[in-house]
Amino acid sequence: QVCTQKYIVKNYFYYYLFKFSAALGEEVFYITFLPFTYWNIDHSVSRRMIIVWSIVMYIGQVSKDILKWPRPLSPPVVKLEMRTNAEYGMPSTHAMAATAISFSFFMATMNQYKYPFELGLVAAFVFSTLVCLSRLYTGMHTVLDVIGGALISAVLLVLLYPAWDTIDHLLLTSPLCPLLSIVVPLVLCYNYPKLDYYSPTRGDTTTILGAAAGATVGFWLNNRYPAPTRTSNSVQLGFPLIPSTMVVVLARFFVGILVVLLTRRFMKSVVLGVLGYRYEFPIHDLEARRRLEVEVPYKFITYSSVGFTATVIVPLLHELLGLK
């Protein structure tokens, strides 16, 4: 269903605030913040966030397509987004992701870094609240969708937190980790709930699980062949940051993001080219790219390559360039 309702923006502060907040629950945020944490803050924090993020998002996406609760009707609601309009509403995966990422970051760092507990708690609450409110402002979810998403995410965090160390240890040391990290997500993607019409939820879920799978293999490989550790120029969660450290942090980030984006573009072209040859369709054929046998391998291979590059190739490049 295409949203054609016209609207006039009367309060540009709220408009841009909530449009920006909505982006904090989308790929542009995941592909920048999660790698930034790995490159510049703490490997263990990043690992825990990615574990929680992938589990929470998979459960949220599957729940949508099982429950099949519709999004708010437009009109009367004005919808400011187009892409996700084809998805169902309950639960809000933006709310789930924002709650999971902000509070898992807080929980993973509160005992490792010196900063006021209240400040970390408030920051996590403000971040998740802004993303939740953005879903109401943009007309994409009801209040119940948002509350449901945040509560589901909170329950999953409570359940996963006691097992964090055990899961992390197994991912780093188990000889079965690389195999299971690829096979289990692929099985989940190929057996995703079927709908009567195309929805981007399966593709988005494959993207998330693929990125997490590639990163998990990278974590395991780095533990077996230790990657450069962050010592003198790592970000310490406090202020002020000394200028030299800030320069190195920014350099690591921009070099890493450039490599990640190039990897995504290259792998996307290669995988689509191979699949197009195999199934005899032009790579720009959108309908063909939505088929199960195309969408799952295309997105899984592309984003698992992104996850692997971010955790293995980029740190090696940082070391080569002296950004350590």
Side-chain angles (χ1 to χ4, degrees), residues 72-90:
L73 293 176
S74 176
V77 169
V78 177
K79 295 187 177 180
L80 305 185
E81 295 180 11
M82 299 289 292
R83 179 182 177 276
T84 58
N85 197 38
E87 297 180 7
Y88 289 108
M90 169 63 88

Side-chain angles (χ1 to χ4, degrees), residues 130-148:
L130 281 175
V131 176
C132 290
L133 291 177
S134 75
R135 309 317 290 155
L136 303 178
Y137 183 87
T138 55
M140 302 310 296
H141 285 285
T142 65
V143 174
L144 187 58
D145 295 343
V146 170
I147 293 175

